[in-house]
Amino acid sequence: MDFHPTEEQAAAAGLAARIFGDLATHERLAAAGTGSDAELWKALTAAGLTAAVEDIGLLGLVLLLEEQGRTTAQVPYAATCVYGILAVSRHGSAEQRARLLPALGTGEAVATGAFPERGRITAEQGRLTGSAPAVPWLREATHVLVPAADGSLWLVRTDAPGVRCAAVETTAPWAAGRLTMSGAEAERIGADDASGDVLAVARTAFAGLQAGVCAGSLARAVEYTSTREQFGRPLSTNQAVMLRAADAYMDTEAIRVTAYEAAWRIDQGLAAREHALTAAWWASEAGKRVVHAGQHLHGGMGADLDHPVHRHFLWGRQLDAYLGCGSELLSELGATLAQEG
């Protein structure tokens, strides 16, 4: 395994860090509410950071999503890259890639996914029926990648007849919606195993996003405890504070390294289902601990809903449950290992 980024990946990550750092400010995030920041989204697509994912692979995307997570930037970047760019480039036909990827790369089209599949959606002769209760960024999306109960994978336009999108509120402000389809026309993407591959890619990518969310939460906690004084000395000199921060750092690194490993294996075409599950488990269990620690280390300030660290807490808790909570993932991982044994 080689987790060292290529020159292209490092350049893309550096550019993403600058754009997210400059534009994803607390004031702009508060103004965006649950919607996306149109100016930030335009800046990302104009810089080629969406289209670049096709070339830098999943490991490159994980690096970019870390930068988004550090700032909790309010754009449908992860969803479009995972359920749009990577899904179509990995499983789409030559015609689908030529038709869909340019629009996704420029931001003209926005994709999301109705994952994980829980048997709610059926496909019959290219038409979908069923619902998904909370699809992230659905209110911003032009296309939804939908896994059917039989394992097939479909792409449906949100403005297609028979498709209805109703706004729902989730823990994180992800412009989510309830997707309901009644005989909606859709196009097939990939072979029978495409749905499982997309889920593994999504779990890995969102684990990378969680690593960034945790790193951002921890950075804010370190800054706060280093400058906030109590009894004449910084809070950071308190042994209990140092140990709590150290535990959060180790948890964050565990999320990061497991996401890197899963992404590297997927990029290399190696079996990675259990590695993606491991990364997702760490993102769920450790991520929850880190964002709680980040908020607790802010003391009374952490209880302020308008404080920037609270946004990391909300994102961390949303990612804890998205694509499977810890116990669910552990059960699936155990079943996978038992089958292989």
Side-chain angles (χ1 to χ4, degrees), residues 19 40 80 182 235 241 262 276 301 341:
I19 293 175
L40 175 54
T80 293
S182 302
L235 286 173
V241 171
M301 294 299 295

Side-chain angles (χ1 to χ4, degrees), residues 113-133:
F115 282 76
E117 189 279 313
R118 301 186 188 279
R120 299 188 182 98
I121 299 170
T122 59
E124 185 174 352
Q125 297 181 343
R127 294 187 177 276
L128 304 181
T129 299
S131 65

Side-chain angles (χ1 to χ4, degrees), residues 123-332:
E124 185 174 352
Q125 297 181 343
R127 294 187 177 276
L128 304 181
T129 299
S131 65
V135 179
W137 298 107
L138 182 63
R139 283 178 268 162
E140 308 279 348
T142 57
H143 296 77
V144 187
L145 195 66
V146 181
D150 61 2
S152 57
L153 190 63
W154 304 83
L155 189 67
V156 61
R157 290 189 60 91
T158 55
D159 59 358
V163 176
R164 188 158 54 90
C165 305
V168 297
E169 297 303 322
T170 54
T171 302
W174 286 0
R178 178 181 177 84
L179 175 68
T180 304
M181 296 174 292
S182 302
E185 186 176 351
E187 61 178 308
R188 179 76 178 263
I189 300 288
D192 293 340
D193 60 346
S195 179
D197 177 77
V198 170
L199 180 57
V201 169
R203 282 171 166 163
T204 302
F206 281 94
L209 183 63
Q210 181 75 300
V213 169
C214 291
S217 175
L218 184 58
R220 290 188 182 280
V222 168
E223 180 182 11
Y224 178 79
T225 57
S226 297
T227 56
R228 178 80 163 90
E229 291 191 359
Q230 189 176 55
F231 305 118
R233 62 177 187 173
L235 286 173
S236 60
T237 60
N238 185 298
Q239 187 178 38
V241 171
M242 288 190 285
L243 291 175
R244 190 77 186 277
D247 285 342
Y249 174 79
M250 294 300 294
D251 273 338
T252 301
E253 288 302 298
I255 301 170
R256 176 181 288 116
V257 73
T258 52
Y260 284 6
E261 181 181 13
W264 179 84
R265 291 185 66 89
I266 290 172
D267 283 341
Q268 296 299 313
L270 301 173
R273 181 184 175 188
E274 61 268 33
H275 299 83
L277 283 165
T278 301
W281 182 84
W282 274 104
S284 174
E285 291 294 304
K288 181 168 46 183
R289 291 195 296 266
V290 173
V291 295
H292 272 265
Q295 193 168 34
H296 289 167
L297 288 174
H298 277 76
M301 294 299 295
D304 183 357
L305 301 186
D306 294 323
H307 194 281
V309 77
H310 189 67
R311 183 176 293 270
H312 290 270
F313 175 78
L314 295 178
W315 278 58
R317 289 312 308 257
Q318 184 71 49
L319 286 165
D320 160 38
Y322 184 54
L323 300 180
C325 65
S327 58
E328 193 176 8
L329 294 164
L330 197 59
S331 176
E332 186 177 343

